[in-house]
Amino acid sequence: MERRSITVNSDFYCKIPLKVFFSFSKNVFVEKTSPSFIFMFDKEFGMNKNKSTDAASAHGDGTVIRIKSISKEFNGEQVLSEISLDIHDNEFVTLLGPSGCGKTTMLRIIAGFETPDKGDVYFGGQRINDLPPYKRELNTVFQKYALFPHLNVYENVAFGLRLRKKQDKLTEREIADRVKETLSLVNLSGFERRNVERLSGGQQQRVAIARALVNHPKVLLLDEPLSALDLKLRKDMQAELKNIQLKTGITFIFVTHDQEEALSMSDTVVVMAEGRIQQVGTPTDIYNEPINAFVADFIGESNIIDGVMLEDFSVRFAGHTFVCVDKGFKKNQRVDVVVRPEDVDVVAVDKGMVVGTVTSVVFKGVHYEMIVDIDNFKWMIQTTDYVSPGATVGLYIEPDAIHIMERSEYSGRFGDYSSFSDELDRLSNPDEEDGDEDGKDSSDDNQ
Amino acid sequence: MKQRSFMARICASPHIVWAIIFIVAPLLFVAYYAFTDQNGRFTFSNIAELSAHWETFLLSVCFSLIATAICLLIGYPLAYAISKAPAKRRSMLITLLMIPMWMNLLIRTYSLMAILDDGGFLNSLLGSIGIPEFHIVGTSGAVIFGMVYDFLPYMVMPIHSVLTKMDDRLSEAAFDLGCNRLEALLKVTLPMSLPGIISGVTMVFVPSISTFYISQKLGGGTIFLIGDTIEMQFQNPATYNVGAAISLVMMILILISVAVMNHFSEDSDDDGGIIL
């Protein structure tokens, strides 16, 4: 049995402390060398069971939230099973997954709106399973903003401060200053007296962020906050959120189903599916070193082919033996091979490692996206050179364009481009679900 | 006013005719009688006679204010509980609340009298377990009880409809920002349900203040409210004009109070609910 560990470096330096945040975030000033934390992926089960190493598990060294083997069931349906995750100070963590993967439930458990059936949640070393939401030092930005319609922008933002007015000995003056400062942080200065219901979606979004940030939480939870915005606005807000996170040094836990959003904003991406964590890592790790077919398929486009690892640095798939950069597998071990569409070169037939027939070509602006049929497996290839449909082409793949993964329960379910969604597959073959998988498995046995 | 299409006018016309015959015309009659004497001559003497009834009027205001307050105190938690119930049970609870409304108000009041009367259902029940019979009908408590009983659904329905439409995330947002359950209720749920409260209060207060049969039946002839006064004036053709004058003044007072309340609720929408 082999273990491979991926090191996730969460080093994070904050350079621009905002005056207004002096009172709460010591970390903004302490330039600390946050320790790397290591997740061990248990290759035998084809699924990661991330365990922090001893160095990271000593609480107080930057771990803000620790989630320990959490399970949650709704009406007999397992929504989360045995989830464990450490979230560090100043980290921008994204929970990424398709709808129904449990990411929102996990966020709601951290916020305190749901209680886990099993497992524990720790906040700064303290177990908070039974702590009601209003006693937790974190705030949430809700999916549809959930602004209070009976209050104007100013009162919405001041809401949390007014509640702590006595406790924190805040004067009206101080509240006004903090609201003003936070509104300028989200570029909403001058909107104080506006009715929140008459604001645009993007402006409401900003109010929601300001309403949460003004309380100076240690952790900010964001539940798909950008999903209701149009594309351009979403991109602006992504940059702005990232910027706000850098400025304030608050830990962000961001939930999204948009992989591009996750890659462009996060320090750490947590890929979830079917109530389990599939992979935890930096955006580059997740993209370049996906742990299984699910992750490879969900993050970006991937051709996922059944292959056999002949020996270190040598893998056979699509009827050809390729040189690769991966090692540490058993001899003749069956593996999943990932080749990204942009990493395949289209060459003349005699120069190609494999030969296939182009079945369709779609112009995408930056490149052409073509589907190439190689032994009945449909590859997606992105190229800037036009090739007409029906042509026979050679494909050339560099060793470092090949990524080898352990087989998992997701093997054979993803990565063939006969269609883009599972749904279309099911619609076209209502009788034989997973028929494709069986077919591929048997052809694999012949190799 | 927006220009209405021809079709819209055609469709609206039956209602307009109806409203003119049965709403505007009677109101004009009331106004006419209020300002004329028996011979049809213009006079203010009917209005002047109102001063004789101001005590009755005050008593009516007190009774209906108390009844409205009790309806609100019972009705709000009830509406809240119904709105938080699972959808299936909610429609059952609403039906239960509505069933008495399918019966005529007068009949409901009579049946309430049968229950509360000396020797009635309640008293014989109490008697059978050894509690001495006591006098209910004829007390002001009975009249207020009758008002609450008859008009409670009018309080619950509008509040319930506002509460069910309210997004659960709003309470969650309140918890998230540091509210405990009570604070979330006071600072978010309650101010947001204000429009429902106001229409509920209006819908209970207005019929309570003008009722006459509840005080007649449950007041046992000892409690005399402004509604009874008006009814009495209209039973004698000689006092039609005074009755009309009281009605007119009542109507104007109710209109003013409703307008004030509506204004109050609009205000709170605009300047950020600092009412609480």
Side-chain angles (χ1 to χ4, degrees), chain A residues 342-403:
Chain A
E342 69 270 22
D343 292 338
V344 181
D345 294 325
V346 178
V347 293
V349 173
D350 55 326
K351 287 185 185 147
M353 294 165 148
V354 287
V355 175
T357 315
V358 177
T359 60
S360 80
V361 181
V362 178
F363 178 59
K364 290 284 180 180
V366 186
H367 54 251
Y368 292 97
E369 192 173 275
M370 58 174 80
I371 304 297
V372 178
D373 187 322
I374 301 169
D375 295 337
N376 285 330
F377 188 90
K378 304 280 194 294
W379 290 56
M380 180 199 273
I381 288 154
Q382 291 164 351
T383 168
T384 47
D385 302 316
Y386 179 77
V387 182
S388 55
T392 307
V393 292
L395 301 182
Y396 182 85
I397 303 166
E398 297 274 355
D400 64 359
I402 296 169
H403 171 63

Side-chain angles (χ1 to χ4, degrees), chain A residues 79-241:
Chain A
V79 183
L80 293 177
S81 34
E82 293 290 317
I83 296 264
S84 293
L85 182 71
D86 280 4
I87 292 163
H88 296 75
D89 228 356
N90 298 350
E91 204 178 4
F92 195 125
V93 184
T94 300
L95 308 182
L96 174 66
S99 55
C101 73
K103 55 192 191 302
T104 295
T105 308
M106 191 155 144
L107 197 77
R108 289 174 62 79
I109 285 175
I110 297 173
F113 300 131
E114 309 281 355
T115 38
D117 298 337
K118 268 185 273 169
D120 295 307
V121 187
Y122 295 93
F123 188 101
Q126 188 201 350
R127 186 174 172 277
I128 56 164
N129 282 33
D130 307 314
L131 204 65
Y134 59 88
K135 286 188 180 160
R136 300 189 181 196
E137 280 178 273
L138 39 79
N139 287 109
T140 309
V141 177
F142 291 86
Q143 189 168 15
K144 292 201 177 102
Y145 323 138
L147 299 177
F148 303 125
H150 62 293
L151 302 177
N152 64 16
V153 171
Y154 180 91
E155 289 299 327
N156 260 284
V157 177
F159 193 90
L161 294 179
R162 291 204 191 286
L163 287 165
R164 303 190 312 184
K165 200 171 158 184
K166 277 198 198 118
Q167 190 190 323
D168 292 6
K169 297 199 177 63
L170 289 170
T171 63
E172 262 319 301
R173 184 76 247 155
E174 283 167 319
I175 290 177
D177 285 347
R178 263 167 79 169
V179 171
K180 205 176 157 210
E181 200 111 19
T182 313
L183 281 176
S184 84
L185 186 71
V186 297
N187 288 325
L188 270 187
S189 299
F191 281 72
E192 285 84 350
R193 298 285 145 209
R194 297 282 191 93
N195 179 335
V196 290
E197 285 188 305
R198 293 198 197 119
L199 298 179
S200 71
Q203 288 164 343
Q204 292 193 20
Q205 178 64 79
R206 286 162 197 271
V207 177
I209 293 166
R211 184 179 67 176
L213 279 177
V214 77
N215 306 299
H216 300 165
K218 282 215 176 78
V219 176
L220 187 70
L221 309 177
L222 302 105
D223 185 8
E224 307 220 16
L226 309 182
S227 58
L229 305 179
D230 65 58
L231 186 65
K232 298 260 178 191
L233 193 53
R234 198 154 72 216
K235 293 206 163 172
D236 282 342
M237 287 303 294
Q238 285 173 10
E240 252 181 88
L241 272 177

